[in-house]
Amino acid sequence: MSAWHVRKEGSPDVLALPTAGEVLTGLRDGNFLPTDEVRGPTDMVWHAIEVHPTFAEAAQDIDPPPSEEADDTHLDMNPLIDVCLVLLIFFILTITYASLERALDVPPDSAEDKGIPQISKEELKDRVFKVIVKMDGERPVIKIEGKEVSQEQIFTEMQNVINATGRKEILLDIDKSVPWGVETAILDAAKGNKVHNIINNQRSR
């Protein structure tokens, strides 16, 4: 019995159909593509359905399969991540620099200072109160005039000492291993209490 044979382009799998009408029905139903190959009972070689004389006219009426449209809702996050990383690095550097600037905002000694008369211990005692910061293991120990305080209490304790003694200068003795954040908190508290001068036993970093 004569039959029509259909296969995907270049595929070894062949489907046999008894009539050309069934091939045409499969084409219209979308089971076959115009580019699929067909061979009729009298054909010696395979032909694409769209160029076979029996199906060429019908193949032209078949709408091509819809192409995939670009998804306009897709958001590429890579540029946003890059911008966020740059901003993060910028803010880290800015905050670190600002903290160091506050911590190191102590005028250096100049040649003119050598001619300043020395102050006696009694005069110094009447003008200066001590703030000592040492490390106890991993914990910084802050003492203001011998009284141990927490970092949150620095401002209030300075205010109490200034109000009680009238001293407006600080002798800051700070251990070199104390974190910068603690020293910055002390300097901020001194600034908030309008301390006139900070005599800083400055550690070297």
Side-chain angles (χ1 to χ4, degrees), residues 67-93:
S67 59
E68 294 185 2
E69 297 182 358
D71 187 2
D72 295 334
T73 62
H74 175 69
L75 179 62
D76 186 2
M77 298 295 291
N78 289 331
L80 180 61
I81 293 173
D82 293 340
V83 171
C84 290
L85 288 176
V86 172
L87 290 176
L88 179 61
I89 294 172
F90 173 77
F91 288 136
I92 290 174
L93 293 177

PDB file of all heavy atoms in Angstrom, residues 67-93:
ATOM      1  N   SER A  67       7.324  34.083  17.829  1.00  0.00           N
ATOM      2  CA  SER A  67       8.668  34.186  18.411  1.00  0.00           C
ATOM      3  C   SER A  67       8.564  34.637  19.858  1.00  0.00           C
ATOM      4  O   SER A  67       7.621  35.306  20.255  1.00  0.00           O
ATOM      5  CB  SER A  67       9.511  35.191  17.607  1.00  0.00           C
ATOM      6  OG  SER A  67       8.885  36.470  17.612  1.00  0.00           O
ATOM      7  N   GLU A  68       9.532  34.237  20.647  1.00  0.00           N
ATOM      8  CA  GLU A  68       9.543  34.619  22.053  1.00  0.00           C
ATOM      9  C   GLU A  68       9.843  36.105  22.187  1.00  0.00           C
ATOM     10  O   GLU A  68      10.840  36.607  21.648  1.00  0.00           O
ATOM     11  CB  GLU A  68      10.599  33.806  22.822  1.00  0.00           C
ATOM     12  CG  GLU A  68      10.272  32.319  22.900  1.00  0.00           C
ATOM     13  CD  GLU A  68      11.276  31.592  23.762  1.00  0.00           C
ATOM     14  OE1 GLU A  68      12.175  32.266  24.311  1.00  0.00           O
ATOM     15  OE2 GLU A  68      11.173  30.357  23.873  1.00  0.00           O
ATOM     16  N   GLU A  69       8.955  36.805  22.874  1.00  0.00           N
ATOM     17  CA  GLU A  69       9.138  38.237  23.071  1.00  0.00           C
ATOM     18  C   GLU A  69       9.999  38.480  24.313  1.00  0.00           C
ATOM     19  O   GLU A  69       9.965  37.703  25.269  1.00  0.00           O
ATOM     20  CB  GLU A  69       7.783  38.928  23.234  1.00  0.00           C
ATOM     21  CG  GLU A  69       6.899  38.825  21.994  1.00  0.00           C
ATOM     22  CD  GLU A  69       5.588  39.550  22.184  1.00  0.00           C
ATOM     23  OE1 GLU A  69       5.377  40.094  23.297  1.00  0.00           O
ATOM     24  OE2 GLU A  69       4.780  39.578  21.245  1.00  0.00           O
ATOM     25  N   ALA A  70      10.733  39.556  24.245  1.00  0.00           N
ATOM     26  CA  ALA A  70      11.582  39.905  25.391  1.00  0.00           C
ATOM     27  C   ALA A  70      10.714  40.277  26.582  1.00  0.00           C
ATOM     28  O   ALA A  70       9.691  40.942  26.443  1.00  0.00           O
ATOM     29  CB  ALA A  70      12.496  41.075  25.028  1.00  0.00           C
ATOM     30  N   ASP A  71      11.104  39.815  27.757  1.00  0.00           N
ATOM     31  CA  ASP A  71      10.367  40.103  28.990  1.00  0.00           C
ATOM     32  C   ASP A  71      10.763  41.478  29.498  1.00  0.00           C
ATOM     33  O   ASP A  71      11.857  41.672  30.027  1.00  0.00           O
ATOM     34  CB  ASP A  71      10.686  39.026  30.035  1.00  0.00           C
ATOM     35  CG  ASP A  71       9.827  39.184  31.279  1.00  0.00           C
ATOM     36  OD1 ASP A  71       8.976  40.085  31.295  1.00  0.00           O
ATOM     37  OD2 ASP A  71      10.033  38.413  32.236  1.00  0.00           O
ATOM     38  N   ASP A  72       9.845  42.449  29.307  1.00  0.00           N
ATOM     39  CA  ASP A  72      10.152  43.816  29.740  1.00  0.00           C
ATOM     40  C   ASP A  72      10.159  43.952  31.250  1.00  0.00           C
ATOM     41  O   ASP A  72      10.637  44.971  31.777  1.00  0.00           O
ATOM     42  CB  ASP A  72       9.114  44.795  29.149  1.00  0.00           C
ATOM     43  CG  ASP A  72       9.197  44.858  27.629  1.00  0.00           C
ATOM     44  OD1 ASP A  72      10.293  44.577  27.107  1.00  0.00           O
ATOM     45  OD2 ASP A  72       8.184  45.188  26.982  1.00  0.00           O
ATOM     46  N   THR A  73       9.622  42.969  31.970  1.00  0.00           N
ATOM     47  CA  THR A  73       9.584  43.067  33.431  1.00  0.00           C
ATOM     48  C   THR A  73      10.879  42.587  34.077  1.00  0.00           C
ATOM     49  O   THR A  73      11.056  42.737  35.285  1.00  0.00           O
ATOM     50  CB  THR A  73       8.411  42.237  33.986  1.00  0.00           C
ATOM     51  OG1 THR A  73       8.616  40.852  33.654  1.00  0.00           O
ATOM     52  CG2 THR A  73       7.091  42.715  33.388  1.00  0.00           C
ATOM     53  N   HIS A  74      11.773  42.005  33.296  1.00  0.00           N
ATOM     54  CA  HIS A  74      13.031  41.510  33.863  1.00  0.00           C
ATOM     55  C   HIS A  74      13.953  42.672  34.211  1.00  0.00           C
ATOM     56  O   HIS A  74      14.141  43.579  33.408  1.00  0.00           O
ATOM     57  CB  HIS A  74      13.722  40.575  32.870  1.00  0.00           C
ATOM     58  CG  HIS A  74      15.078  40.118  33.328  1.00  0.00           C
ATOM     59  ND1 HIS A  74      15.247  39.258  34.385  1.00  0.00           N
ATOM     60  CD2 HIS A  74      16.320  40.429  32.877  1.00  0.00           C
ATOM     61  CE1 HIS A  74      16.524  39.044  34.564  1.00  0.00           C
ATOM     62  NE2 HIS A  74      17.197  39.744  33.672  1.00  0.00           N
ATOM     63  N   LEU A  75      14.503  42.653  35.398  1.00  0.00           N
ATOM     64  CA  LEU A  75      15.396  43.712  35.870  1.00  0.00           C
ATOM     65  C   LEU A  75      16.784  43.133  36.101  1.00  0.00           C
ATOM     66  O   LEU A  75      16.954  42.201  36.886  1.00  0.00           O
ATOM     67  CB  LEU A  75      14.865  44.329  37.174  1.00  0.00           C
ATOM     68  CG  LEU A  75      15.712  45.444  37.796  1.00  0.00           C
ATOM     69  CD1 LEU A  75      15.806  46.636  36.840  1.00  0.00           C
ATOM     70  CD2 LEU A  75      15.126  45.880  39.123  1.00  0.00           C
ATOM     71  N   ASP A  76      17.756  43.681  35.390  1.00  0.00           N
ATOM     72  CA  ASP A  76      19.145  43.245  35.562  1.00  0.00           C
ATOM     73  C   ASP A  76      19.702  43.887  36.821  1.00  0.00           C
ATOM     74  O   ASP A  76      19.872  45.106  36.891  1.00  0.00           O
ATOM     75  CB  ASP A  76      19.963  43.648  34.328  1.00  0.00           C
ATOM     76  CG  ASP A  76      21.373  43.085  34.377  1.00  0.00           C
ATOM     77  OD1 ASP A  76      21.684  42.356  35.344  1.00  0.00           O
ATOM     78  OD2 ASP A  76      22.172  43.367  33.467  1.00  0.00           O
ATOM     79  N   MET A  77      19.983  43.069  37.834  1.00  0.00           N
ATOM     80  CA  MET A  77      20.424  43.588  39.126  1.00  0.00           C
ATOM     81  C   MET A  77      21.922  43.842  39.199  1.00  0.00           C
ATOM     82  O   MET A  77      22.397  44.466  40.143  1.00  0.00           O
ATOM     83  CB  MET A  77      20.038  42.588  40.229  1.00  0.00           C
ATOM     84  CG  MET A  77      18.550  42.355  40.376  1.00  0.00           C
ATOM     85  SD  MET A  77      17.695  43.845  40.911  1.00  0.00           S
ATOM     86  CE  MET A  77      18.319  43.990  42.582  1.00  0.00           C
ATOM     87  N   ASN A  78      22.689  43.386  38.207  1.00  0.00           N
ATOM     88  CA  ASN A  78      24.145  43.528  38.292  1.00  0.00           C
ATOM     89  C   ASN A  78      24.604  44.976  38.380  1.00  0.00           C
ATOM     90  O   ASN A  78      25.434  45.311  39.237  1.00  0.00           O
ATOM     91  CB  ASN A  78      24.807  42.826  37.099  1.00  0.00           C
ATOM     92  CG  ASN A  78      24.707  41.316  37.192  1.00  0.00           C
ATOM     93  OD1 ASN A  78      24.659  40.757  38.281  1.00  0.00           O
ATOM     94  ND2 ASN A  78      24.643  40.648  36.068  1.00  0.00           N
ATOM     95  N   PRO A  79      24.106  45.901  37.529  1.00  0.00           N
ATOM     96  CA  PRO A  79      24.540  47.301  37.679  1.00  0.00           C
ATOM     97  C   PRO A  79      24.158  47.892  39.031  1.00  0.00           C
ATOM     98  O   PRO A  79      24.933  48.654  39.622  1.00  0.00           O
ATOM     99  CB  PRO A  79      23.819  48.018  36.521  1.00  0.00           C
ATOM    100  CG  PRO A  79      23.506  46.949  35.531  1.00  0.00           C
ATOM    101  CD  PRO A  79      23.241  45.727  36.349  1.00  0.00           C
ATOM    102  N   LEU A  80      22.978  47.522  39.558  1.00  0.00           N
ATOM    103  CA  LEU A  80      22.546  48.035  40.853  1.00  0.00           C
ATOM    104  C   LEU A  80      23.464  47.543  41.966  1.00  0.00           C
ATOM    105  O   LEU A  80      23.831  48.299  42.879  1.00  0.00           O
ATOM    106  CB  LEU A  80      21.105  47.601  41.124  1.00  0.00           C
ATOM    107  CG  LEU A  80      20.492  48.071  42.450  1.00  0.00           C
ATOM    108  CD1 LEU A  80      20.467  49.596  42.508  1.00  0.00           C
ATOM    109  CD2 LEU A  80      19.084  47.518  42.608  1.00  0.00           C
ATOM    110  N   ILE A  81      23.865  46.277  41.898  1.00  0.00           N
ATOM    111  CA  ILE A  81      24.776  45.726  42.901  1.00  0.00           C
ATOM    112  C   ILE A  81      26.120  46.440  42.845  1.00  0.00           C
ATOM    113  O   ILE A  81      26.722  46.763  43.879  1.00  0.00           O
ATOM    114  CB  ILE A  81      24.941  44.212  42.690  1.00  0.00           C
ATOM    115  CG1 ILE A  81      23.617  43.490  42.975  1.00  0.00           C
ATOM    116  CG2 ILE A  81      26.047  43.649  43.577  1.00  0.00           C
ATOM    117  CD1 ILE A  81      23.624  42.018  42.626  1.00  0.00           C
ATOM    118  N   ASP A  82      26.619  46.704  41.628  1.00  0.00           N
ATOM    119  CA  ASP A  82      27.899  47.414  41.487  1.00  0.00           C
ATOM    120  C   ASP A  82      27.834  48.797  42.118  1.00  0.00           C
ATOM    121  O   ASP A  82      28.758  49.223  42.836  1.00  0.00           O
ATOM    122  CB  ASP A  82      28.271  47.532  39.999  1.00  0.00           C
ATOM    123  CG  ASP A  82      28.592  46.175  39.381  1.00  0.00           C
ATOM    124  OD1 ASP A  82      28.889  45.248  40.151  1.00  0.00           O
ATOM    125  OD2 ASP A  82      28.541  46.056  38.153  1.00  0.00           O
ATOM    126  N   VAL A  83      26.738  49.519  41.867  1.00  0.00           N
ATOM    127  CA  VAL A  83      26.583  50.868  42.431  1.00  0.00           C
ATOM    128  C   VAL A  83      26.528  50.807  43.956  1.00  0.00           C
ATOM    129  O   VAL A  83      27.149  51.625  44.656  1.00  0.00           O
ATOM    130  CB  VAL A  83      25.320  51.551  41.861  1.00  0.00           C
ATOM    131  CG1 VAL A  83      25.035  52.859  42.593  1.00  0.00           C
ATOM    132  CG2 VAL A  83      25.479  51.825  40.378  1.00  0.00           C
ATOM    133  N   CYS A  84      25.787  49.825  44.499  1.00  0.00           N
ATOM    134  CA  CYS A  84      25.679  49.687  45.952  1.00  0.00           C
ATOM    135  C   CYS A  84      27.039  49.405  46.587  1.00  0.00           C
ATOM    136  O   CYS A  84      27.363  49.942  47.660  1.00  0.00           O
ATOM    137  CB  CYS A  84      24.684  48.575  46.302  1.00  0.00           C
ATOM    138  SG  CYS A  84      22.969  48.997  45.944  1.00  0.00           S
ATOM    139  N   LEU A  85      27.852  48.564  45.939  1.00  0.00           N
ATOM    140  CA  LEU A  85      29.180  48.264  46.470  1.00  0.00           C
ATOM    141  C   LEU A  85      30.060  49.513  46.482  1.00  0.00           C
ATOM    142  O   LEU A  85      30.792  49.774  47.448  1.00  0.00           O
ATOM    143  CB  LEU A  85      29.834  47.154  45.639  1.00  0.00           C
ATOM    144  CG  LEU A  85      29.264  45.743  45.826  1.00  0.00           C
ATOM    145  CD1 LEU A  85      29.925  44.761  44.874  1.00  0.00           C
ATOM    146  CD2 LEU A  85      29.449  45.273  47.260  1.00  0.00           C
ATOM    147  N   VAL A  86      29.999  50.296  45.404  1.00  0.00           N
ATOM    148  CA  VAL A  86      30.795  51.532  45.347  1.00  0.00           C
ATOM    149  C   VAL A  86      30.364  52.495  46.441  1.00  0.00           C
ATOM    150  O   VAL A  86      31.202  53.100  47.144  1.00  0.00           O
ATOM    151  CB  VAL A  86      30.657  52.185  43.955  1.00  0.00           C
ATOM    152  CG1 VAL A  86      31.308  53.568  43.959  1.00  0.00           C
ATOM    153  CG2 VAL A  86      31.298  51.315  42.886  1.00  0.00           C
ATOM    154  N   LEU A  87      29.046  52.652  46.636  1.00  0.00           N
ATOM    155  CA  LEU A  87      28.551  53.553  47.683  1.00  0.00           C
ATOM    156  C   LEU A  87      28.946  53.055  49.065  1.00  0.00           C
ATOM    157  O   LEU A  87      29.305  53.854  49.943  1.00  0.00           O
ATOM    158  CB  LEU A  87      27.027  53.665  47.579  1.00  0.00           C
ATOM    159  CG  LEU A  87      26.487  54.431  46.364  1.00  0.00           C
ATOM    160  CD1 LEU A  87      24.959  54.373  46.332  1.00  0.00           C
ATOM    161  CD2 LEU A  87      26.943  55.888  46.392  1.00  0.00           C
ATOM    162  N   LEU A  88      28.879  51.735  49.274  1.00  0.00           N
ATOM    163  CA  LEU A  88      29.252  51.168  50.564  1.00  0.00           C
ATOM    164  C   LEU A  88      30.710  51.460  50.890  1.00  0.00           C
ATOM    165  O   LEU A  88      31.040  51.883  52.007  1.00  0.00           O
ATOM    166  CB  LEU A  88      28.999  49.661  50.556  1.00  0.00           C
ATOM    167  CG  LEU A  88      29.367  48.893  51.840  1.00  0.00           C
ATOM    168  CD1 LEU A  88      28.541  49.408  53.005  1.00  0.00           C
ATOM    169  CD2 LEU A  88      29.137  47.405  51.665  1.00  0.00           C
ATOM    170  N   ILE A  89      31.596  51.249  49.906  1.00  0.00           N
ATOM    171  CA  ILE A  89      33.018  51.540  50.126  1.00  0.00           C
ATOM    172  C   ILE A  89      33.225  53.025  50.404  1.00  0.00           C
ATOM    173  O   ILE A  89      33.998  53.417  51.303  1.00  0.00           O
ATOM    174  CB  ILE A  89      33.841  51.093  48.896  1.00  0.00           C
ATOM    175  CG1 ILE A  89      33.781  49.563  48.757  1.00  0.00           C
ATOM    176  CG2 ILE A  89      35.291  51.557  49.001  1.00  0.00           C
ATOM    177  CD1 ILE A  89      34.390  49.043  47.473  1.00  0.00           C
ATOM    178  N   PHE A  90      32.516  53.885  49.678  1.00  0.00           N
ATOM    179  CA  PHE A  90      32.638  55.330  49.881  1.00  0.00           C
ATOM    180  C   PHE A  90      32.228  55.719  51.297  1.00  0.00           C
ATOM    181  O   PHE A  90      32.925  56.484  51.981  1.00  0.00           O
ATOM    182  CB  PHE A  90      31.777  56.062  48.853  1.00  0.00           C
ATOM    183  CG  PHE A  90      31.690  57.542  49.072  1.00  0.00           C
ATOM    184  CD1 PHE A  90      32.747  58.370  48.716  1.00  0.00           C
ATOM    185  CD2 PHE A  90      30.563  58.103  49.651  1.00  0.00           C
ATOM    186  CE1 PHE A  90      32.670  59.726  48.930  1.00  0.00           C
ATOM    187  CE2 PHE A  90      30.477  59.461  49.871  1.00  0.00           C
ATOM    188  CZ  PHE A  90      31.526  60.282  49.513  1.00  0.00           C
ATOM    189  N   PHE A  91      31.095  55.179  51.781  1.00  0.00           N
ATOM    190  CA  PHE A  91      30.620  55.537  53.114  1.00  0.00           C
ATOM    191  C   PHE A  91      31.557  55.009  54.193  1.00  0.00           C
ATOM    192  O   PHE A  91      31.801  55.689  55.206  1.00  0.00           O
ATOM    193  CB  PHE A  91      29.206  54.991  53.335  1.00  0.00           C
ATOM    194  CG  PHE A  91      28.152  55.724  52.553  1.00  0.00           C
ATOM    195  CD1 PHE A  91      27.162  55.038  51.881  1.00  0.00           C
ATOM    196  CD2 PHE A  91      28.152  57.115  52.482  1.00  0.00           C
ATOM    197  CE1 PHE A  91      26.190  55.708  51.150  1.00  0.00           C
ATOM    198  CE2 PHE A  91      27.190  57.792  51.767  1.00  0.00           C
ATOM    199  CZ  PHE A  91      26.208  57.096  51.101  1.00  0.00           C
ATOM    200  N   ILE A  92      32.099  53.810  53.997  1.00  0.00           N
ATOM    201  CA  ILE A  92      33.034  53.254  54.987  1.00  0.00           C
ATOM    202  C   ILE A  92      34.274  54.141  55.098  1.00  0.00           C
ATOM    203  O   ILE A  92      34.725  54.484  56.199  1.00  0.00           O
ATOM    204  CB  ILE A  92      33.428  51.814  54.602  1.00  0.00           C
ATOM    205  CG1 ILE A  92      32.235  50.873  54.801  1.00  0.00           C
ATOM    206  CG2 ILE A  92      34.614  51.330  55.438  1.00  0.00           C
ATOM    207  CD1 ILE A  92      32.486  49.462  54.316  1.00  0.00           C
ATOM    208  N   LEU A  93      34.824  54.524  53.945  1.00  0.00           N
ATOM    209  CA  LEU A  93      36.020  55.377  53.965  1.00  0.00           C
ATOM    210  C   LEU A  93      35.711  56.740  54.575  1.00  0.00           C
ATOM    211  O   LEU A  93      36.512  57.286  55.334  1.00  0.00           O
ATOM    212  CB  LEU A  93      36.557  55.539  52.540  1.00  0.00           C
ATOM    213  CG  LEU A  93      37.122  54.270  51.879  1.00  0.00           C
ATOM    214  CD1 LEU A  93      37.541  54.568  50.449  1.00  0.00           C
ATOM    215  CD2 LEU A  93      38.300  53.734  52.673  1.00  0.00           C
TER     216      LEU A  93
END
